[in-house]
Every structure is written in C-alpha cells, then in structure tokens.
Amino acid sequence: MNKQEMIQLSEEHLLHVYNRFPVVLSHGEGVYLYDTDGRKYLDFGSGIGVMAFGYGNKEYEDALVEQIHKITHTSNLYYHEPMLEAAKKICDVSGMDKVFFTNSGAEAIEGALKTAKKYAYTMRGADSYEVIAMGHSFHGRTVGALSVTGTEHYREPFYPLMDGVKFADFNDLSSVEAVLTDQTCAIIMETIQGEGGIYPAEEAFLHAIRKLCDERKILLILDEIQCGMGRSGEMFAFQKYGVKPDILTTAKALGAGVPVGAFLVTEEVAKHSLVPGDHGTTYGGNPLVTAAVSKTIDLMKEQKILEHVQELTPFLEETLEEIVQRYPFVTSHRGMGFMQGLVLTVPVGEVVRKCLENGLVVLSAGADVLRLLPPLVMDRDGILEMKEKLCNVLDTYL
Ligand SMILES: Cc1ncc(COP(=O)(O)O)c(C=O)c1O
C-alpha cells in the first residue's frame, strides 16, 4: 500500500477526531523518526511527552520482550511481581505512599477526583464535593477530567458535566480564594501547565495553595501527567518547589511508550478514602505495563536522565533566547527543563506543519505557543539541529 492509500484507508475507518498530518510514520531510532517514504524527522515532540528514551532503547525493549514471554496480563484479582516492583519504585521516587495504576492520564485524573471526593465524604460528609480547577488547564477527555479542564471550547458540547467544579486563574491566589467554600474538597492543577501554553506555577502561588489546603483541610491534586517523570529536570516538578501534593497524577513518560498512568496518594489520604469496591480497572497496572514502568525508573537512574536534563537545560534555554532575539514575531520563551514553549505572533499551526515538512517534529500549545517536548536523552547536537531546522522555517516569515 502506498502512503496515499494508507491515509485514505485510515480516514475511511477511523473516527475523525484528529486532523492528522499527511505523514505515515514507520519507525524510530534514537531521537529520530522515519516515515514510509524514508524521510527522517528530528523528534522534539516525543509522542506528546511519552518517549523519554527516544526510540530503540535496547534495555527497555528487552525488558518488555522478556515480560511478554512470561505473562502480559492477569487482572487485578491477583498479585504479580512487575506491579509490586513498579509500585515500590514509583512511591520511592515521588515520596508518595500508595499508587493505583491506570491505562491513561485521563483515568488517573478520574481516580484522583474520586479519591478526593471519597476522602471528603469520609471526613466531612457528602456536602464537601466541590473542586477548584484552573483556567487554561488540561486534564483529559473523559467526563470527570473534562469537567476540570479549563477550556470552555472542549467542555461546552458535553454539558452537563461533573457538578461542583469552579475555575480560578492559574497563579492568582485571590481568584482561588474567591471561589473557595466550605464545600471545597480539592484543588487540582498542573505544576506546569502543558496544553494551555507551558505556564510553570509561580513558586509563591504553589506554596500559598499548599498552605491554603492545609488550613482548610482541602486536598491538593497535582497533575504531572505531562511535566512529571524527569521532564522538569526533577523526577516530578513539585520536587523543585519543595511542595508535596496529597494526590499526584502521572502518565505519559511513566511507561516510556506503553499506555500506563497512575495516581498516587499519601498514607493519610489512603487511610480515609477508597476501599475495596470503590474503584477498579481490568487492565490497569498489568504485568506488561508495570514491567515498563519499573524499567523506565531504573533507566532514568542508571542513565542519569535527570542530571542530563539539568545539564542541558541552560543550553536549550540559551538557544531559545537566541531565536527570540532573532525574530520579532517570536516574543518570548518559557518553561522548565525539557518542557519549553516559544510564544509566536505568526500562526503556530502553520509553523508546526512547516517544521514537519523540514524534518522537525514540534507541537503547539494554547493559541500561540510552539511547544518543545524532546526525548529526555536529546543532546547538544540535537538542540543545534532543532535550531537550524526551526530557523529555516522562521526565516520564511521575515
Ligand atoms: C496535564 C495533563 N493531564 C492529563 C492529560 C490526559 O492524559 P491522556 O491523554 O493520557 O488521557 C494530559 C494529556 O495531554 C495532560 O497533558
């Protein structure tokens, strides 16, 4: 089948909820992707923040193959070694006490919301069900996750959504206080907003939110589905701030390429929230995906991924600053670690498409941000190549 036939067949059978680029990817190697025409792309998207080690990491692949030969799935009715190992490792690196594995980020959010509601129900009664979420946030496409996603355009066709959600402005404490009531059970926010446009939480804001939650006995849910697992230069971005959530969500790079997410809670939350019968999943945390989680965490340590991201972040940021200085329509850059955004006044969707045509995979975020989420193994040469390819595209706007 040629490329055009593959695209046509896909469009015939796939529900049209994505406007896909006319590229059929076939495989990856290191930090490069290849399409069926043999074209090569430098990857600064990592499958939306998933492929932490790039493509073809032998140790990671061997671990998955080994697990496939043993057992890929059981159910959550039994114990198995990959899950217990992954659970111990993710609790260790996050500082949280207990974990529930899910199949996606959105499901991790669902679990986090249910846990917060059950905690408040147990501690304060059925009235405490309100959740405060942030404008421009993104937490996923399922009904609960959509209910706390701060973009009206995503929510509007699906009303009525979950009851009791109030929105505040990210990094604006007074807007949070304005919607706080005795019924508030949780505040949910991304530590670094991703889809909304790469906005890191301000230090003072996150500390003030933590204090507010402590004073009012409200749970703080930090969504690190995009910014967690090493992307910020720490295993989790909240560790940079010295603030700990009561509930943490993670996914994307958690399994570095297999569909797995998780929500994690403190002992205190675990003690007073979900009990057998309250929550479950058939696939969640099966032997295959938890073998991937376990290996991901091992490799992050062995290959010193956090140190690598920390070491190269200044170079990446300097490179982005040079781009800002060179083009009047690139107004600023912001981000943390290997999660960076360039603010453009030219159409960002068009720039993303032109980059792809020039052999560079980048993403957009919000209305005007070019988003860079390279594999965490991206090196200096890769950053220089990104700059060259991106500048080739940006030059066309001068
Ligand atoms: C911060 C954040 N939360 C939740 C989600 C939803 O994750 P998933 O697409 O795996 O359901 C995403 C996905 O982009 C995200 O960036």
Side-chain angles (χ1 to χ4, degrees):
M1 226 183 294
N2 68 29
K3 173 176 148 182
Q4 222 32 59
E5 287 167 340
M6 284 196 259
I7 291 176
Q8 199 181 327
L9 200 63
S10 302
E11 289 304 329
E12 257 173 52
H13 295 289
L14 293 173
L15 190 65
H16 190 86
V17 292
Y18 286 103
N19 289 318
R20 291 183 162 86
F21 295 101
V23 166
V24 183
L25 292 174
S26 66
H27 66 285
E29 238 176 73
V31 293
Y32 293 96
L33 285 161
Y34 295 84
D35 71 13
T36 48
D37 294 333
R39 293 198 62 215
K40 184 177 176 183
Y41 303 85
L42 176 67
D43 186 13
F44 264 70
S46 354
I48 323 190
V50 171
M51 303 303 287
F53 309 116
Y55 306 87
N57 183 295
K58 186 158 173 5
E59 276 188 67
Y60 172 84
E61 290 180 357
D62 285 350
L64 261 67
V65 169
E66 197 183 317
Q67 189 57 49
I68 286 171
H69 287 308
K70 286 186 192 159
I71 185 170
T72 57
H73 179 77
T74 63
S75 73
N76 277 304
L77 300 179
Y78 314 99
Y79 296 99
H80 55 84
E81 210 174 337
M83 188 191 252
L84 77 88
E85 278 182 6
K88 174 155 182 15
K89 287 175 190 174
I90 193 67
C91 286
D92 282 351
V93 295
S94 64
M96 304 298 284
D97 297 312
K98 295 225 159 34
V99 61
F100 181 99
F101 290 107
T102 65
N103 308 293
S104 67
E107 282 173 84
I109 297 293
E110 297 292 329
L113 292 171
K114 278 180 72 177
T115 305
K117 285 187 170 205
K118 182 71 194 295
Y119 179 85
Y121 175 88
T122 311
M123 303 298 277
R124 284 151 51 188
D127 286 345
S128 298
Y129 63 88
E130 287 183 5
V131 175
I132 299 177
M134 302 295 150
H136 299 292
S137 61
F138 184 84
H139 298 291
R141 303 295 194 151
T142 54
V143 172
L146 198 56
S147 305
V148 291
T149 286
T151 305
E152 178 60 16
H153 158 77
Y154 291 147
R155 289 198 313 269
E156 203 253 351
F158 305 102
Y159 283 134
L161 293 170
M162 193 176 88
D163 204 12
V165 179
K166 297 188 170 162
F167 286 95
D169 295 331
F170 193 55
N171 283 333
D172 178 353
L173 183 64
S174 60
S175 77
V176 177
E177 287 166 340
V179 290
L180 191 76
T181 73
D182 290 342
Q183 270 83 52
T184 308
C185 73
I187 297 177
I188 181 166
M189 56 185 268
E190 293 150 270
T191 316
I192 307 169
Q193 288 194 332
E195 304 291 317
I198 314 290
Y199 291 99
E202 284 167 13
E203 186 119 6
F205 178 69
L206 192 50
H207 280 269
I209 292 287
R210 179 66 273 175
K211 188 159 169 274
L212 190 70
C213 287
D214 290 341
E215 285 166 3
R216 303 288 292 253
K217 303 217 178 317
I218 294 167
L219 298 184
L220 174 59
I221 305 172
L222 287 181
D223 178 351
E224 298 227 1
I225 286 165
Q226 189 162 150
C227 65
M229 294 306 295
R231 190 148 290 282
S232 69
E234 292 294 336
M235 191 59 98
F236 289 98
F238 73 79
Q239 290 162 335
K240 278 204 164 217
Y241 293 78
V243 161
K244 194 177 156 187
D246 302 294
I247 305 178
L248 170 70
T249 59
T250 171
K252 292 193 187 281
L254 175 64
V258 297
V260 60
F263 63 94
L264 296 102
V265 301
T266 60
E267 193 66 54
E268 158 67 16
V269 173
K271 241 193 301 178
H272 303 288
S273 58
L274 303 179
V275 294
D278 279 343
H279 201 56
T281 164
T282 299
Y283 282 125
N286 82 12
L288 179 63
V289 299
T290 44
V293 172
S294 203
K295 197 64 188 177
T296 297
I297 297 172
D298 287 350
L299 286 175
M300 285 205 175
K301 287 183 187 162
E302 285 163 29
Q303 300 191 354
K304 299 197 178 344
I305 297 291
L306 302 184
E307 292 84 341
H308 174 76
V309 172
Q310 285 163 16
E311 199 184 309
L312 277 204
T313 296
F315 182 64
L316 176 59
E317 289 180 340
E318 278 159 30
T319 304
L320 298 180
E321 182 55 30
E322 280 168 31
I323 294 172
V324 170
Q325 293 305 323
R326 191 185 303 182
Y327 301 98
F329 48 83
V330 184
T331 56
S332 59
H333 66 92
R334 60 174 174 251
M336 204 182 273
F338 277 14
M339 180 170 180
Q340 297 283 341
L342 284 167
V343 184
L344 307 184
T345 58
V346 291
V348 65
E350 190 180 271
V351 174
V352 171
R353 180 178 54 76
K354 287 185 177 176
C355 283
L356 195 65
E357 287 163 7
N358 275 271
L360 173 66
V361 173
V362 289
L363 303 163
S364 63
D368 59 357
V369 175
L370 187 89
R371 178 171 40 149
L372 304 174
L373 298 179
L376 303 183
V377 293
M378 187 62 71
D379 62 10
R380 277 177 93 87
D381 287 347
I383 293 171
L384 288 172
E385 190 183 334
M386 175 275 292
K387 180 182 162 194
E388 191 192 324
K389 289 193 151 83
L390 181 55
C391 288
N392 284 343
V393 170
L394 296 177
D395 282 349
T396 64
Y397 292 89
L398 281 173

Coordinates of all heavy atoms in Angstrom, one line a residue, residues 22 27 29 33 42 45 51-52 84 130 146 159 172 196 220 225 278 287 298 302 308 313 335 349 365 370:
P22 N -0.2 14.7 7.0 CA -0.2 13.6 6.0 C 1.2 12.9 6.0 O 1.9 12.9 5.0 CB -0.4 14.4 4.6 CG 0.1 15.8 5.0 CD -0.1 16.0 6.4
H27 N 8.9 3.9 11.8 CA 9.8 3.5 13.0 C 10.6 4.7 13.5 O 10.6 5.8 12.9 CB 10.7 2.3 12.5 CG 11.7 2.7 11.5 ND1 11.4 2.9 10.2 CD2 13.0 2.9 11.6 CE1 12.5 3.2 9.5 NE2 13.5 3.3 10.3
E29 N 14.5 5.7 15.7 CA 15.8 5.3 16.1 C 16.5 6.4 16.8 O 16.6 7.5 16.3 CB 16.7 5.1 14.8 CG 17.2 3.7 14.6 CD 17.9 3.6 13.2 OE1 19.0 4.2 13.1 OE2 17.4 3.1 12.3
L33 N 12.6 10.0 14.0 CA 11.5 9.2 13.5 C 11.7 9.1 11.9 O 12.2 10.0 11.3 CB 10.2 9.9 13.8 CG 9.7 9.9 15.2 CD1 8.7 10.9 15.5 CD2 9.1 8.5 15.5
L42 N 13.7 14.9 13.1 CA 14.2 15.0 14.5 C 13.0 15.2 15.4 O 12.1 16.1 15.1 CB 15.1 16.3 14.5 CG 15.7 16.6 15.9 CD1 16.7 15.6 16.4 CD2 16.4 18.0 15.8
G45 N 8.9 16.2 20.0 CA 7.6 16.0 20.5 C 7.4 14.8 21.4 O 6.6 14.8 22.2
M51 N 8.0 9.5 25.0 CA 9.1 8.7 24.6 C 10.4 9.2 25.3 O 11.3 9.7 24.6 CB 9.3 8.6 23.1 CG 8.0 8.0 22.4 SD 7.6 6.4 23.0 CE 8.8 5.3 22.3
A52 N 10.5 9.1 26.6 CA 11.6 9.7 27.3 C 13.0 9.3 26.8 O 13.9 10.0 26.8 CB 11.5 9.3 28.8
L84 N 4.3 -5.0 41.8 CA 4.8 -4.6 43.1 C 6.1 -3.9 43.0 O 6.4 -2.9 43.8 CB 4.9 -5.9 44.1 CG 6.0 -6.9 44.0 CD1 7.2 -6.4 44.8 CD2 5.5 -8.2 44.4
E130 N -17.1 20.0 46.2 CA -16.6 21.0 45.2 C -15.1 20.9 44.9 O -14.3 20.6 45.8 CB -17.0 22.4 45.6 CG -18.4 22.7 45.6 CD -18.8 24.1 46.0 OE1 -17.8 24.9 46.2 OE2 -20.0 24.4 46.1
L146 N -12.6 16.2 31.9 CA -13.1 17.3 31.1 C -13.7 18.4 32.0 O -13.6 19.6 31.8 CB -14.1 16.8 30.1 CG -14.4 17.7 28.9 CD1 -13.2 18.0 28.1 CD2 -15.4 16.9 28.0
Y159 N -22.0 19.3 28.1 CA -22.7 19.6 29.4 C -24.0 18.8 29.5 O -24.6 18.5 28.4 CB -23.1 21.1 29.4 CG -21.9 22.0 29.7 CD1 -21.6 23.2 29.0 CD2 -21.1 21.7 30.8 CE1 -20.6 24.0 29.4 CE2 -20.0 22.6 31.2 CZ -19.8 23.7 30.4 OH -18.7 24.5 30.7
D172 N -2.9 33.0 40.4 CA -3.6 34.1 41.1 C -4.4 33.6 42.3 O -5.5 33.1 42.2 CB -4.6 34.7 40.0 CG -5.4 35.9 40.6 OD1 -5.3 36.1 41.8 OD2 -6.1 36.5 39.8
G196 N -2.2 24.1 27.8 CA -2.7 25.5 27.9 C -1.7 26.5 27.5 O -2.0 27.7 27.3
L220 N -4.7 18.8 47.9 CA -4.1 19.3 46.7 C -3.7 18.2 45.7 O -3.0 17.3 46.1 CB -2.8 20.1 47.1 CG -1.9 20.6 45.9 CD1 -2.7 21.6 45.0 CD2 -0.7 21.3 46.5
I225 N 1.1 14.7 34.7 CA 1.0 13.7 33.6 C 1.9 14.2 32.5 O 2.6 13.3 31.8 CB -0.5 13.6 33.1 CG1 -1.2 12.8 34.2 CG2 -0.6 13.0 31.7 CD1 -2.7 12.8 34.1
D278 N -14.7 0.5 45.7 CA -14.9 1.9 45.3 C -14.3 2.1 43.9 O -14.7 3.1 43.2 CB -14.1 2.8 46.3 CG -15.0 3.1 47.5 OD1 -16.2 2.8 47.5 OD2 -14.4 3.5 48.5
P287 N 1.0 -6.8 34.0 CA 2.4 -7.1 34.1 C 3.3 -6.5 33.0 O 4.4 -6.0 33.3 CB 2.5 -8.7 33.9 CG 1.1 -9.1 34.4 CD 0.2 -8.0 34.1
D298 N 14.3 2.5 36.5 CA 15.7 2.1 36.6 C 16.5 2.8 35.6 O 17.6 3.3 36.0 CB 15.7 0.6 36.2 CG 15.2 -0.3 37.3 OD1 14.9 0.2 38.4 OD2 15.0 -1.5 37.1
E302 N 19.9 4.9 36.1 CA 21.2 4.3 35.5 C 21.8 5.3 34.5 O 23.0 5.5 34.4 CB 20.9 3.0 34.9 CG 20.8 1.9 35.9 CD 20.1 0.6 35.3 OE1 20.3 0.4 34.1 OE2 19.5 -0.1 36.0
H308 N 21.2 14.8 33.1 CA 21.3 15.2 31.7 C 20.4 16.4 31.4 O 20.8 17.3 30.8 CB 21.0 14.0 30.8 CG 21.0 14.3 29.4 ND1 22.1 14.5 28.6 CD2 20.0 14.5 28.5 CE1 21.8 14.8 27.4 NE2 20.5 14.8 27.3
T313 N 19.6 21.9 30.1 CA 18.5 23.0 30.1 C 19.0 24.4 29.8 O 18.5 25.1 29.0 CB 17.7 22.9 31.4 OG1 17.1 21.6 31.5 CG2 16.6 24.0 31.5
G335 N 9.3 28.0 30.3 CA 9.2 26.6 30.5 C 10.2 26.1 31.6 O 10.7 27.0 32.3
G349 N 0.1 26.8 14.2 CA -0.2 25.6 13.5 C 0.5 25.4 12.2 O 1.0 24.4 11.8
A365 N 0.8 24.5 21.6 CA 0.1 24.5 22.9 C -0.6 25.8 23.0 O -0.1 26.9 22.6 CB 1.1 24.4 24.1
L370 N 4.6 27.5 20.5 CA 5.2 26.3 19.8 C 5.9 25.6 21.0 O 6.7 26.1 21.7 CB 6.3 26.8 18.9 CG 7.0 25.7 18.1 CD1 6.2 25.5 16.8 CD2 8.4 26.1 17.7

